């Protein structure tokens, strides 16, 4: 009898472990149980990720150090070789290069430094607009995704309680727990997408601020160059 009891005790954990393994749910199945809400959140994640990669490539090109370009332009302007200075700007292909080329185009045409400065600043604003385009969408996703996830949770809870109310007799804990965790999946998904988009948005804003600083430095140094000459 004692041996049989021992054998039964040793086999019980294995049975429980097998049951837990059989009842375990994969990540894909969890996402699938989230329904249409998880599909919307997945779509928002793809958009945020695409914009992040796209803007990082654009900003990386725009963040090029303008020191070398400024030295070349200053040297050519001091020699009176404006065409060479413009060629240096064309090779640079950055917002700073476009700003300098615009300012160089006014040399000899007008002596009004205020007009030249405003023209350079206008080109800078246009380039900044190109950098900022669609970045606000990433910020919007960071705020909308958690709310969409919570909305999906509310809908899921409503469906779960409807299913429970249709049960005759006592409600099984399994039915109650499965309905609740399926509803909570969308909240977790919304928070995950929202956190990713929030970090991406703030990183892009910080990177663009660095570009703006370099554009301001280029504008100031170019006007000082014209004043000194």
């Amino acid at each position: 009898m004692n041996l049989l009891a021992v054998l039964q005790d040793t086999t019980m954990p294995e049975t429980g472990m097998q049951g837990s393994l059989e009842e375990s749910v994969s990540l894909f199945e969890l996402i699938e149980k989230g329904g249409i809400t998880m599909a919307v959140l997945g779509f928002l994640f793809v958009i945020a990720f695409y914009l992040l990669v796209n803007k990082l490539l654009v900003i990386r090109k725009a963040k090029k150090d303008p020191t070398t370009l400024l030295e070349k332009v200053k040297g050519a302007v001091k020699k009176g070789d404006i065409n060479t200075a413009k060629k240096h700007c064309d090779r640079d292909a950055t917002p700073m290069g476009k700003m300098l080329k615009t300012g160089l185009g006014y040399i000899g045409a007008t002596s009004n430094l205020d007009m030249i400065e405003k023209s350079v600043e206008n080109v800078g604003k246009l380039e900044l607009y190109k950098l900022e385009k669609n970045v606000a969408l990433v910020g919007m996703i960071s705020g909308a995704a958690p709310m969409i996830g919570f909305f999906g949770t509310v809908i899921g809870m409503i469906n779960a309680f409807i299913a429970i109310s249709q049960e005759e007799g006592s409600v099984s804990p399994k039915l109650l727990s499965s309905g609740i965790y399926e509803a909570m999946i969308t909240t977790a998904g919304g928070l995950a997408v929202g956190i990713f988009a929030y970090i991406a948005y703030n990183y892009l804003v910080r990177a663009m601020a660095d570009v703006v600083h370099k554009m301001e430095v280029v504008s100031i140094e170019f006007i000082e160059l014209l004043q000194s000459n």
Side-chain angles (χ1 to χ4, degrees):
M1 293 294 292
N2 293 333
L3 178 60
L4 179 59
V6 171
L7 290 175
Q8 289 176 346
D9 291 339
T10 56
T11 54
M12 284 297 290
E14 295 180 358
T15 303
M17 185 178 294
Q18 290 176 356
S20 62
L21 289 174
E22 290 175 357
E23 293 176 0
S24 63
V25 183
S26 66
L27 178 61
F28 178 78
E29 289 174 339
L30 284 173
I31 295 174
E32 187 178 11
K33 289 179 182 296
I36 186 65
T37 305
M38 291 300 291
V40 173
L41 291 173
F43 179 69
L44 293 178
F45 173 78
V46 171
I47 293 176
F49 183 79
Y50 169 78
L51 291 176
L52 173 63
V53 174
N54 179 265
K55 288 301 176 182
L56 284 178
L57 294 175
V58 174
I59 293 173
R60 181 181 178 184
K61 184 178 179 181
K63 285 177 66 176
K64 182 179 177 182
D65 189 2
T67 303
T68 303
L69 175 62
L70 276 170
E71 293 300 325
K72 292 179 180 179
V73 170
K74 286 180 180 179
V77 171
K78 289 178 180 178
K79 295 178 182 178
D81 192 354
I82 306 302
N83 290 329
T84 300
K86 290 181 179 179
K87 290 179 181 179
H88 289 315
C89 296
D90 289 332
R91 296 192 194 100
D92 190 74
T94 62
M96 286 73 80
K98 294 178 181 178
M99 291 169 63
L100 289 174
K101 185 178 179 180
T102 300
L104 291 170
Y106 284 93
I107 295 179
T110 180
S111 59
N112 190 338
L113 293 179
D114 289 336
M115 179 180 177
I116 298 175
E117 185 177 2
K118 289 181 180 179
S119 299
V120 172
E121 289 178 353
N122 289 335
V123 173
K125 290 178 182 178
L126 291 175
E127 294 299 316
L128 181 59
Y129 171 77
K130 294 178 183 178
L131 289 177
E132 293 178 341
K133 187 178 180 181
N134 294 327
V135 172
L137 182 58
V138 180
M140 186 182 70
I141 291 174
S142 71
M147 290 189 290
I148 293 174
F150 182 69
F151 176 76
T153 296
V154 173
I155 298 299
M157 293 293 289
I158 291 173
N159 292 331
F161 281 110
I162 290 176
I164 291 171
S165 66
Q166 293 175 349
E167 286 289 316
E168 296 180 359
S170 61
V171 178
S172 65
K174 182 178 181 181
L175 176 62
L176 181 61
S177 61
S178 63
I180 293 175
Y181 88 73
E182 287 178 13
M184 295 298 292
I185 290 170
T186 57
T187 295
L191 288 173
V193 176
I195 291 171
F196 171 80
Y198 178 78
I199 295 173
Y201 173 75
N202 283 277
Y203 182 82
L204 291 175
V205 170
R206 179 64 187 85
M208 287 189 299
D210 189 24
V211 177
V212 171
H213 173 70
K214 291 180 179 179
M215 292 168 66
E216 290 175 349
V217 170
V218 167
S219 177
I220 292 171
E221 292 200 14
F222 180 71
I223 296 302
E224 289 179 351
L225 172 66
L226 297 183
Q227 289 175 342
S228 64
N229 286 273

